[in-house]
Amino acid sequence: MLYTAQQTTSLPTNGFQYLLLSVDDHVLTITLNRPQKKNALHPPMLAELAFALAHAQHNPAVWLVVLAAAGDTFCAGMDLKSLTNGSDERPAVPEPTGPVRLGELLQQLDKPTIAQVQGGVYAGGFLLVAGCTYAVAVETATFSLPEVKRGLFPFQVLALLFDLMPARKALDLCLRAQTLTADEALEIGLITDKVSADQLLTTVDRLADELKQVSPTAIQFGLRARRALKSLPPDQQQAYLYEQFVQLQQTPDAREGMTAFLEKRPPKWSGD
């Protein structure tokens, strides 16, 4: 994370410039709010995203994150004008401690994320969709990686796609820059659900409610373990996972879950 818990205790007094944030019953909704630019990402917006996700990570009251977008496009990727000419705009948050690598923002989060895709996803926008735990998209959404047509290559996207689909398919998406329908995106695992536009919000809400029924602490342990396994050699993985299970058993949520099971009642999660 590029921001500390202390830095992200309070959100910007005057709000964000390019994001909208709301919290409801442990769900933090982050809405990309640059619709006039099709939610194209530029340095100030990236800094705000990094800050908002760090806030979600450090805030124990946040159990999961919904990533939504305003306008008719979910995200058009990087703002090529800012890449070429730079940006003089200042973000509404402190400068991050290092470069904002979009492919890492969601991967570093120990809480489940849901991409609420109401429109097209292009170029670097794939990082937000592929980086989320779940991606619910409207049936009219389209998906494309056009970087090679601009003399560029979606390096970070490729790394995330390798986690979701066969390597040849991931490479093909990057090399031929074809446009996928929502049906095709669902078939290859880029999205997890395809719904009609009038069902998008209710589907995301239902998924969020289901995730809130289980232990947020157990989920966080599991997501951390998934990330850690990528850097551990095979002969160390089982020992690490055993130790994680031992630690998880000592948490209040685990004690509550086991007690509730024996008492035949619904558990009351604290997230501790």
Side-chain angles (χ1 to χ4, degrees):
M1 287 291 159
L2 298 173
Y3 295 93
T4 65
Q6 184 175 5
Q7 284 179 298
T8 58
T9 298
S10 300
L11 298 175
T13 305
N14 298 320
F16 294 90
Q17 289 180 276
Y18 302 107
L19 303 177
L20 299 174
L21 263 67
S22 64
V23 181
D24 181 35
D25 193 21
H26 302 295
V27 179
L28 173 66
T29 299
I30 302 172
T31 302
L32 308 180
N33 191 36
R34 202 184 178 212
Q36 72 280 8
K37 297 292 186 180
K38 298 189 180 298
N39 295 314
L41 303 161
H42 66 332
M45 190 176 186
L46 286 171
E48 292 182 6
L49 263 174
F51 189 96
L53 291 171
H55 171 76
Q57 174 78 346
H58 297 308
N59 187 346
V62 174
W63 292 1
L64 63 106
V65 174
V66 172
L67 187 59
D72 59 5
T73 301
F74 181 77
C75 182
M78 285 300 299
D79 187 327
L80 295 184
K81 184 177 180 180
S82 73
L83 279 180
T84 305
N85 302 325
S87 174
D88 295 329
E89 297 180 68
R90 305 291 296 177
V93 298
E95 288 292 333
T97 56
V100 180
R101 291 184 286 268
L102 190 55
E104 295 177 356
L105 285 181
L106 292 163
Q107 295 289 296
Q108 293 175 340
L109 195 62
D110 294 334
K111 300 176 182 182
T113 48
I114 305 171
Q116 180 178 296
V117 183
Q118 91 297 356
V121 181
Y122 310 103
F126 270 60
L127 293 168
L128 298 174
V129 174
C132 280
T133 319
Y134 302 91
V136 182
V138 295
E139 57 194 0
T140 55
T142 55
F143 305 80
S144 179
L145 292 168
E147 282 90 338
V148 290
K149 296 180 179 180
R150 317 283 187 261
L152 303 172
F153 192 84
F155 295 105
Q156 294 180 76
V157 171
L158 182 61
L160 292 185
L161 294 183
F162 282 155
D163 281 343
L164 301 178
M165 62 191 69
R168 280 183 171 175
K169 186 60 185 178
L171 281 169
D172 183 52
L173 289 178
C174 298
L175 296 177
R176 288 200 291 162
Q178 292 181 315
T179 298
L180 299 178
T181 65
D183 282 320
E184 292 167 331
L186 180 64
E187 182 179 356
I188 64 175
L190 179 60
I191 61 174
T192 54
D193 295 273
K194 181 203 70 170
V195 297
S196 60
D198 62 348
Q199 290 296 310
L200 180 62
L201 293 180
T202 56
T203 301
V204 170
D205 287 345
R206 183 169 61 251
L207 178 56
D209 286 340
E210 290 175 359
L211 289 168
K212 286 186 292 182
Q213 301 308 307
V214 299
S215 165
T217 303
I219 287 177
Q220 290 165 35
F221 265 75
L223 291 176
R224 278 197 299 271
R226 178 183 181 273
R227 186 172 66 247
L229 286 175
K230 291 186 176 183
S231 60
L232 285 175
D235 62 349
Q236 296 179 22
Q237 291 180 2
Q238 288 301 317
Y240 166 79
L241 294 172
Y242 174 81
E243 181 58 32
Q244 289 300 296
F245 185 69
V246 171
Q247 291 182 27
L248 178 57
Q249 287 179 289
Q250 311 309 312
T251 64
D253 262 11
R255 291 194 292 270
E256 165 62 13
M258 290 184 283
T259 300
F261 175 78
L262 294 173
E263 295 177 353
K264 295 181 171 55
R265 61 171 175 80
K268 297 179 180 178
W269 307 121
S270 66
D272 296 328

